[in-house]
Amino acid sequence: MRAAPRSASSTAARPSRRVWMLGPALVAGVAYLDPGNVASNMTAGATYGYLLIWVVVLANLIAWLVQYLSAKLGLVTGRSLPELLGERIRRPWARRAYWLQAELVAMATDVAEVIGGAVALQLLFGLPLLWGGAITAVVSLTLLMVQTRHGARTFEFVIIGMVAIIAVGFVAGVFVAPPDAAGVAAGLVPRFEGSGSVLLAASILGATVMPHAIYAHSALTRDRFGTDPTPIPRLLRATRWDVSLAMLIAGAVNVAILLLAAANLAGVAGTDSLEGAYAALRTGIGPVVATLFAVGLLASGLASTSVGAYAGAEIMHGLLHAHIPLLLRRLVSVLPALLLLGIGADPTRSLVFSQVVLSFGIPFALIPLVSLTARGAVLGRFRNRAATTVLGVAASVALIVLNGMLLVLVAADA
């Protein structure tokens, strides 16, 4: 049975606690800074210049709405999105089918994050990709154990520290080699140039509006504020600031990655891979910027795969009402990534297509989220306003239509 919406009449939180309330969105926001974002945005900038800046901006605007709704759902109900869906999908076969697609999306997330960490370790230390992937998986498991043993707040501090490293690593190059202002302005005009640009647009959306971040954010706010006596309206105001800060950081970093590639890698041979982009940055801008880029990529892989593993565990718990040992679950979830590394699959291509897989999982998370947060029976007086629901529906339709266009165009080119 669904938990009743929490009371809004609890003792008010002191103003000094407002900053202390920040954190869950910054952790969920790591999903928007994972290696899949790096690969998609670097490829978009190197291949199409400033053309797809508008996609990155649009994706982050959609992400703000999505993450706020997810956080609100967890705050008001005290349940995560997977838990609420697990209660409402009555037929066992339907619940298992829903879990299967969510689990596949979680594995696609791990493909991007583990491969990204492996590439970074190879660039920094010359490690073989398979060994780098294994190290990334082990370190991410250690970070996840911080959350299970020391609580949500400690986990948040660790991840936020990594976000700072990611931001410095990816943004520094833009200040060293600034982009063309006219090109940036032109890139804000929505348009495509063939099916390749549509494929990258879907990849950017898959990397930015990530299904597992939708599932995770509701659980993160549940874990953080489940016993907090602060009135819900005050928590929701703090959450809006939290989400705004997280999306501002994620959006700025994502745009910076694309701008860095568009200004310095467009037309340069071999920059359609992370390794090639690193080499070109090292040659064109200098070893300091290239090393910062690789360090940012490593922090991105380690932090985002930890959050992805947290989301995967919540998906299984909420939909199947089952728990499996953390180590076993981690081994299973990273197998596809390690297999790809073992057979020598192109890392950057694997990263980009993993984001396309993620984009197809978006409707399965986004539509239920918008539906549940619009219902008074679920959120009471905190349900969405009509305008919010309209925006949520519009975002869902836009994402589904773009994915449909992708299928048609790619099939036509096949």
Side-chain angles (χ1 to χ4, degrees), residues 265-285:
L265 305 181
V268 178
T271 54
D272 55 349
S273 69
L274 289 173
E275 300 91 333
Y278 170 84
L281 290 174
R282 188 178 181 87
T283 301
I285 305 180

Side-chain angles (χ1 to χ4, degrees), residues 93-107:
W93 66 266
R95 192 166 60 250
R96 293 190 190 102
Y98 190 95
W99 165 78
L100 180 60
Q101 65 80 27
E103 195 68 42
L104 290 174
V105 165
M107 287 186 175

Side-chain angles (χ1 to χ4, degrees), residues 44 60 70 80 83 103 105 132 136 211 221 239 283 294:
N60 275 274
S70 179
S80 68
E83 285 177 322
E103 195 68 42
V105 165
T136 301
T221 53
T239 295
T283 301

Side-chain angles (χ1 to χ4, degrees), residues 106-131:
M107 287 186 175
T109 301
D110 261 327
V111 166
E113 294 157 354
V114 172
I115 289 179
V119 170
L121 287 170
Q122 185 180 66
L123 295 176
L124 289 168
F125 306 110
L127 290 178
L129 287 174
L130 184 57
W131 280 104

Side-chain angles (χ1 to χ4, degrees), residues 187-278:
L188 294 172
V189 180
R191 66 192 190 282
F192 294 112
E193 290 181 2
S195 62
S197 64
V198 178
L199 175 64
L200 277 173
S203 181
I204 291 170
L205 286 167
T208 307
V209 187
M210 299 188 77
H212 81 277
I214 299 174
Y215 297 125
H217 202 165
S218 56
L220 288 165
T221 53
R222 175 205 62 196
D223 292 347
R224 172 77 113 79
F225 300 117
T227 59
D228 196 306
T230 305
I232 287 183
R234 188 179 295 271
L235 286 175
L236 289 175
R237 285 195 294 273
T239 295
R240 284 192 286 271
W241 281 104
D242 193 22
V243 174
S244 297
L245 178 60
M247 292 302 100
L248 178 63
I249 294 171
V253 172
N254 282 323
V255 170
I257 293 168
L258 191 150
L259 294 180
L260 179 65
N264 300 281
L265 305 181
V268 178
T271 54
D272 55 349
S273 69
L274 289 173
E275 300 91 333
Y278 170 84

